[in-house]
Amino acid sequence: MRTKLIALSAVTLALAIGINGCGNTEEGASTRPKMTLIVGNEGDDFYKAMECGAKAAANRLGVELDLQGPRAFDTSLQVQIVNSVAAKRPAAVLIAPTDDTALYPPLKQIHAAGTKIVTVDTTLKNKDIVAAAVGSDYVQLGAAAARRLNTLVNGQGKILVIASPPGVTTSDLSRQGLTDALTRYPGLQLVPTQFSGGDAAKSASLVAATLSVHPDLAAVFTLNGGDAQGVVTALREAGKQDRVKFISGDAQPFQVDQLKKGEVAELLLHKPFEIGEKGVEQALAAVKGQPVQPESTTSIVMATAANVDEPGVAKYLYRPC
């Protein structure tokens, strides 16, 4: 009996240790900082690449990361998501605001409840609630576009810019960088900027309408990759694909195909993986009360048909993980 009792006690003790061990693991998991990344458009390859970087950093740093995003780059849809996330009271929210003003009130409420706010890619006009802002150097992108456009049209010609509506900080900064840089290229003339925001059908109609007024248009520059298909379609239908040069931001898979076919002269690549990665790092530092970098930017990479397959460029193409 004694032997059996000792054996039974040992089993009981082992079970207790096992149960306690499981409890500690669960408790450890529950204390992992919970964060939510809210992208601008869940179907966009740029944001998918950003999510990959954020997930990589979250796994490395022991962060529990939730991914959210509207089905279109739509402010009202994103506000709904922000409001639903507020009830979960995450330690931090990383967000690419679709509007620099409209997202401020709902984010301010989350911030007031103790959640740290980090913006990724786009940001807010009023940054008093933003612990850190991580994004591309969009002023550099605009300046690079002006420089390349000047080269492509031999320093002379009319340029059409298709951008997102005012209030999207990335687009606003790119246009600022382009406009400032164009003062160095007096032979380039900007025709009225058109606003699409990534709608291919709309961008196609905007290019067609501009060509009817300016048949001598020399080049088109789009800030958003979503507009690229519309531009290519409009130029092809007008028989101008060989005469009108086209530069686009972003590097979505279909854009890379356009580049290799010669339908796009050059692509200006961002580094969304790095933006997502650094966003999580900055958010965790803010949650822990450690120093953060209030604003940080990643550089722009120029892709052409000649260099797009080179490792130093290809690694920045937008691919989901």
Side-chain angles (χ1 to χ4, degrees), residues 218-270:
V220 179
F221 171 50
T222 62
L223 306 179
N224 189 314
D227 291 309
Q229 189 61 60
V231 174
V232 168
T233 298
L235 293 178
R236 185 188 303 121
E237 291 179 350
K240 302 254 185 177
Q241 67 269 37
D242 295 327
R243 295 180 56 189
V244 179
K245 304 301 181 182
F246 177 32
I247 291 181
S248 179
D250 282 333
Q252 299 187 47
F254 75 89
Q255 290 179 275
V256 176
D257 290 339
Q258 291 174 336
L259 181 69
K260 292 180 178 180
K261 292 176 182 176
E263 296 172 327
V264 181
E266 297 180 2
L267 294 175
L268 301 177
L269 281 57
H270 305 280

Side-chain angles (χ1 to χ4, degrees), residues 117-120 122-124 127-135 278-279 282-283 285-286 290-297:
I117 307 296
V118 172
T119 59
V120 284
T122 50
T123 190
L124 297 172
K127 298 187 181 68
D128 64 346
I129 62 172
V130 178
V134 184
K278 191 162 189 176
Q282 293 297 303
Q290 298 172 347
V292 299
Q293 190 173 350
E295 294 192 18
S296 53
T297 57

Side-chain angles (χ1 to χ4, degrees), residues 34-36 83-93 109-110 112-115:
K34 295 183 179 180
M35 299 183 186
T36 299
N83 290 335
S84 68
V85 167
K88 300 177 183 178
R89 300 176 66 90
V93 165
Q109 290 185 352
I110 292 181
T115 296

Side-chain angles (χ1 to χ4, degrees), residues 105-313:
L107 288 173
K108 186 175 182 180
Q109 290 185 352
I110 292 181
H111 177 264
T115 296
K116 302 298 182 183
I117 307 296
V118 172
T119 59
V120 284
D121 190 41
T122 50
T123 190
L124 297 172
K125 181 177 292 185
N126 186 346
K127 298 187 181 68
D128 64 346
I129 62 172
V130 178
V134 184
S136 299
D137 189 336
Y138 280 93
V139 174
Q140 178 205 1
L141 181 144
R147 183 173 62 252
R148 298 306 304 151
L149 287 166
N150 183 66
T151 299
L152 288 171
V153 302
N154 298 315
Q156 195 75 35
K158 295 178 179 179
I159 310 296
L160 168 65
V161 175
I162 299 179
S164 297
V168 179
T169 55
T170 53
S171 181
D172 293 344
L173 290 171
S174 296
R175 288 191 289 119
Q176 174 193 326
L178 178 104
T179 303
D180 291 347
L182 283 179
T183 60
R184 299 194 292 270
Y185 311 114
L188 301 187
Q189 176 189 348
L190 274 182
V191 301
T193 296
Q194 302 297 319
F195 300 102
S196 167
D199 185 322
K202 186 173 183 179
S203 61
S205 65
L206 291 172
V207 172
T210 300
L211 285 170
S212 68
V213 179
H214 301 282
D216 56 343
L217 187 70
V220 179
F221 171 50
T222 62
L223 306 179
N224 189 314
D227 291 309
Q229 189 61 60
V231 174
V232 168
T233 298
L235 293 178
R236 185 188 303 121
E237 291 179 350
K240 302 254 185 177
Q241 67 269 37
D242 295 327
R243 295 180 56 189
V244 179
K245 304 301 181 182
F246 177 32
I247 291 181
S248 179
D250 282 333
Q252 299 187 47
F254 75 89
Q255 290 179 275
V256 176
D257 290 339
Q258 291 174 336
L259 181 69
K260 292 180 178 180
K261 292 176 182 176
E263 296 172 327
V264 181
E266 297 180 2
L267 294 175
L268 301 177
L269 281 57
H270 305 280
K271 300 177 179 178
F273 187 97
E274 292 184 15
I275 293 172
E277 191 174 34
K278 191 162 189 176
V280 170
E281 293 170 352
Q282 293 297 303
L284 184 59
V287 168
K288 291 183 175 182
Q290 298 172 347
V292 299
Q293 190 173 350
E295 294 192 18
S296 53
T297 57
T298 57
S299 59
I300 302 299
V301 176
M302 185 73 67
T304 65
N307 72 3
V308 69
D309 290 324
E310 295 177 2
V313 175

Side-chain angles (χ1 to χ4, degrees), residues 41 43-50 251-254 272 318-320:
N41 180 351
D44 190 287
D45 289 293
F46 172 88
Y47 291 118
K48 290 178 182 178
M50 181 189 292
Q252 299 187 47
F254 75 89
Y318 305 168
R319 298 189 181 98

